[in-house]
Structure formats: C-alpha cells, structure tokens
Amino acid sequence: MTEQYLSGNFGGDMMAEDLFGLYQDLSQRKIWLAFKGAISQDILVELGTLLKSKSVLDRKVKRLFAIFVEMAQNILHYSAETETVPFSGNGTAQPVGVGVIVVSESADDYLVSAGNVVTDKQMTYLREQCERIHRADPGQLKQYYEDQRKAGRSMSDSKGAGLGLLDIARKADFPLEYEMRPIPDGRAFFVLTARIAKFNKQFT
Amino acid sequence: MDNKGVCMDNLVLEATKITPKVHFDATSGVLEIAGDSYPEHSLQFYEQVFTWLDDFIGQTTLPITFHFRLFYFNTSSSKCILNILERLDEAYRRGRQVSLYWHYREDDEDIRESGEEFAEDLSLAFQFVKH
C-alpha cells in the first residue's frame, strides 16, 4: 500500500532531487531559518524561539532577534499579499501577511532578509523611508527614531512600519540593503536585508 | 474608604512569551513590568495598563515606585512604554512622588541605552539598576 506513495506521479511537485538540491543550498549558505508563507504571530514566536536557541544569546544575536521580529511583524501587518489564517492571535480568523524571511550567516556577518509584495503606494513610502535612512548619520537616525516614536505613541494604530525600519537601521552594523522588483501585476516585491557584524570592528 | 484609595484592585497579569508580567500593587504603590514584550497588537495589551495607571494616579495619593525589568521589547511596545513613562512624568511634575527604576542585565547595555533614550525627554530621574 505504501508503494503508491513512494512511486506515485509527483507532477509539478518538488522531486527528491530538487529537495536534495534545496537541502544542499540551505546548508552551504548557512541558513539558520527560512520561511515562506503567512507569518502569523504564532509562527513568528516559534521562529523567534528557534532563532534564540541557535546561539548563545549575546548582544549581537539579541539584535538579530530584534531585527527578525520587526521584519516579520512588518510582513504580518503590511504585506500586500495575505492569507486568512484560522484561529490566529486572538482566536478569530484574520488575514495575515505573506512573505519570505531568511536568517543566515556568512564568515563575518549575521544576515536577516525579508521579502514581500507591496502596493504602489507602499513602494513610494518605503523608497522614501529607505532613502532617508540611507542619507542619515547615527545621530540623525536616533532623532528620526525618537520623533517617530513620539508621533505614534497615542495613535490607535500602534503598529507603524516606519519606526520598525528605523529600529532595524539602528541595530544593523551596515547600511540597509533594499530592492524593489516589479512583478507582472503592477505591484512590486520588496526585499530588505540587514547585516550585523559577528565581530566588533576594531580599527574603524 | 480612605483618601489613599486602597479600594482599587491590583492589576496582575502573568507573563506570556510575548507579553510581560505586570504586577501593579494598589496598596503599596509598587508597580512592576517585567519580561519580553512583542505582541501582535501592542496597544490592545497596554490599554488596560494605561487605564489602571490613570485611575491610580487620579484616585490615590500614594507614592509610586515603578520598576521596569524588560528584557526585550519591539518598536510598537516601545511606543506604549513611552506612553507609560509620560503618564508617570506628568504625575511627577504635578507633585506626585515617583521613583523610577530601570533594571538591566550587566551584559545587556542595549537595554540600558534604551532607558537612557527614554530618560532624555523626561523630567523624572531614572535610577539604573545593574544585575
């Protein structure tokens, strides 16, 4: 009876060989975790717990965790692609943002990359925010962060992707990398990458 | 009931993975928030904290001792923490006795720094406690 499962027609499904390729790829790139799908709060918490357990929770890994949470919550709240996840969060079915998030390491850095579909309007907003962040020095970033936090503290919607971006930029050791890739339906795929140096730079 | 308003209930919320422990003692005026904070909707969680604090500040005259023992908080929780601090600061500026303790772990300077950033805009003095 089991044979029909083993030798069945996989059609467009991922074949064993592809899966081995994916496995090798994930191993070689030192991927700590990779997730594609609806990032509900429950998923976020589980992935975050996994991330914390991957390494001694030192200052660097704690920042990595913080960046992961901000990126994942931005997908959850703002992705233009959503799925309705039953019994998420407060117990009722609700739309949850879909995206992809990858945490990995290179020889010198820890990396968090997140990608999701954004609307035209979001694209303009994100581009402005990212450019403003790019031009800012650490002192200005701190000022932007404090201004935005103050501005948003009494709003009924306490989310605010802007504050998350500023926080990510302040926690990262290098300028944020971002990319907007147009997709056929007129929207875009937004990718954001933050890097944290594994070792403290000593002579800079 | 006397004018210290001991008729108020305590606010006690146990910690979850994503919300901090909240222990607000209306009899002693010792209020504590401890743990991690990154709920999906921060305001939904903190609304009850704001309401309790407003009642406690408005209906009693007890000195307030506030302990923040946070380990990790996300940006939307950070807005809510600012909200709490501003309420305490306003009470302090109106003459209420308020002592504020910001606890951090020895190996976690980031939490200390985030406390220092909150303190910059407030009249209320932060007492930093290293563990």
Side-chain angles (χ1 to χ4, degrees):
Chain A
M1 286 299 281
T2 46
E3 262 180 32
Q4 76 185 86
Y5 297 104
L6 294 172
S7 60
N9 178 11
F10 286 89
D13 295 347
M14 183 171 265
M15 308 278 278
E17 198 179 322
D18 298 331
L19 195 60
F20 184 58
L22 180 63
Y23 171 84
Q24 284 182 311
D25 201 32
L26 291 171
S27 307
Q28 278 159 11
R29 290 165 183 252
K30 292 201 175 171
I31 308 282
W32 286 15
L33 69 88
F35 181 86
K36 186 265 159 184
I39 302 189
S40 66
Q41 179 71 16
D42 293 344
I43 293 281
L44 184 155
V45 170
E46 289 308 316
L47 294 177
T49 306
L50 175 70
L51 190 55
K52 281 185 184 171
S53 71
K54 277 281 180 188
S55 176
V56 183
L57 200 60
D58 64 6
R59 192 181 192 176
K60 302 273 181 192
V61 176
K62 199 177 162 195
R63 286 185 185 172
L64 188 72
F65 172 78
I67 290 174
F68 169 82
V69 171
E70 294 302 327
M71 285 191 183
Q73 285 186 326
N74 278 350
I75 293 174
L76 158 58
H77 292 300
Y78 302 113
S79 174
E81 180 188 359
T82 58
E83 253 176 41
T84 300
V85 174
F87 313 119
S88 165
N90 59 9
T92 54
Q94 55 177 307
V96 165
V98 172
V100 59
I101 190 158
V102 177
V103 180
S104 62
E105 64 174 299
S106 67
D108 301 321
D109 305 328
Y110 299 117
L111 294 98
V112 195
S113 283
N116 61 272
V117 177
V118 293
T119 62
D120 253 10
K121 211 174 140 193
Q122 288 174 319
M123 198 166 19
T124 310
Y125 171 78
L126 286 167
R127 187 171 279 134
E128 279 170 11
Q129 292 293 313
C130 288
E131 286 307 315
R132 192 168 77 123
I133 287 171
H134 257 278
R135 288 192 300 267
D137 61 33
Q140 285 171 313
L141 277 182
K142 177 172 181 279
Q143 195 57 50
Y144 293 163
Y145 180 84
E146 284 171 9
D147 291 348
Q148 185 131 3
R149 179 163 69 184
K150 224 176 271 176
R153 71 193 182 285
S154 51
M155 278 158 49
S156 59
D157 173 9
S158 70
K159 295 179 285 183
L163 193 63
L165 279 180
L166 287 163
D167 188 54
I168 293 165
R170 293 187 69 199
K171 288 198 163 78
D173 287 320
F174 302 95
L176 299 183
E177 297 155 42
Y178 78 99
E179 194 191 333
M180 300 275 183
R181 186 171 295 205
I183 51 176
D185 64 5
R187 297 184 295 180
F189 194 72
F190 173 65
V191 177
L192 183 69
T193 300
R195 289 172 188 269
I196 291 177
K198 281 184 185 174
F199 313 102
N200 291 318
K201 288 171 283 177
Q202 287 183 349
F203 302 104
T204 52
Chain B
M1 290 296 161
D2 67 25
N3 67 352
K4 284 184 176 175
V6 283
C7 51
M8 261 190 80
D9 287 334
N10 296 337
L11 179 66
V12 178
L13 306 168
E14 292 312 321
T16 69
K17 270 187 173 175
I18 52 169
T19 56
K21 175 179 102 172
V22 176
H23 271 217
F24 286 0
D25 188 325
T27 319
S28 66
V30 176
L31 319 181
E32 181 185 4
I33 293 184
D36 284 340
S37 182
Y38 57 112
E40 182 173 355
H41 302 286
S42 295
L43 209 61
Q44 264 175 27
F45 174 77
Y46 281 99
E47 204 80 69
Q48 57 196 329
V49 174
F50 301 154
T51 305
W52 192 96
L53 202 54
D54 287 343
D55 289 348
F56 186 71
I57 289 169
Q59 297 171 16
T60 76
T61 54
L62 274 174
I64 297 172
T65 306
F66 208 111
H67 293 278
F68 283 96
R69 298 177 197 273
L70 293 159
F71 180 65
Y72 165 69
F73 51 91
N74 68 348
T75 51
S76 66
S77 296
S78 169
K79 290 180 189 175
C80 296
I81 293 163
L82 179 61
N83 228 312
I84 293 169
L85 288 167
E86 286 182 336
R87 283 168 155 86
L88 295 173
D89 198 52
E90 200 196 326
Y92 170 75
R93 283 187 280 111
R94 288 169 182 241
R96 188 71 168 254
Q97 193 180 324
V98 181
S99 310
L100 182 69
Y101 297 89
W102 187 268
H103 300 261
Y104 67 102
R105 283 177 16 179
E106 189 181 14
D107 59 352
D108 199 348
E109 283 294 318
D110 285 2
I111 284 288
R112 185 194 161 100
E113 279 169 25
S114 63
E116 285 168 350
E117 287 184 9
F118 278 122
E120 279 171 17
D121 286 341
L122 305 174
S123 335
L124 190 56
F126 279 49
Q127 299 179 63
F128 290 95
V129 187
K130 193 200 291 202
H131 291 272

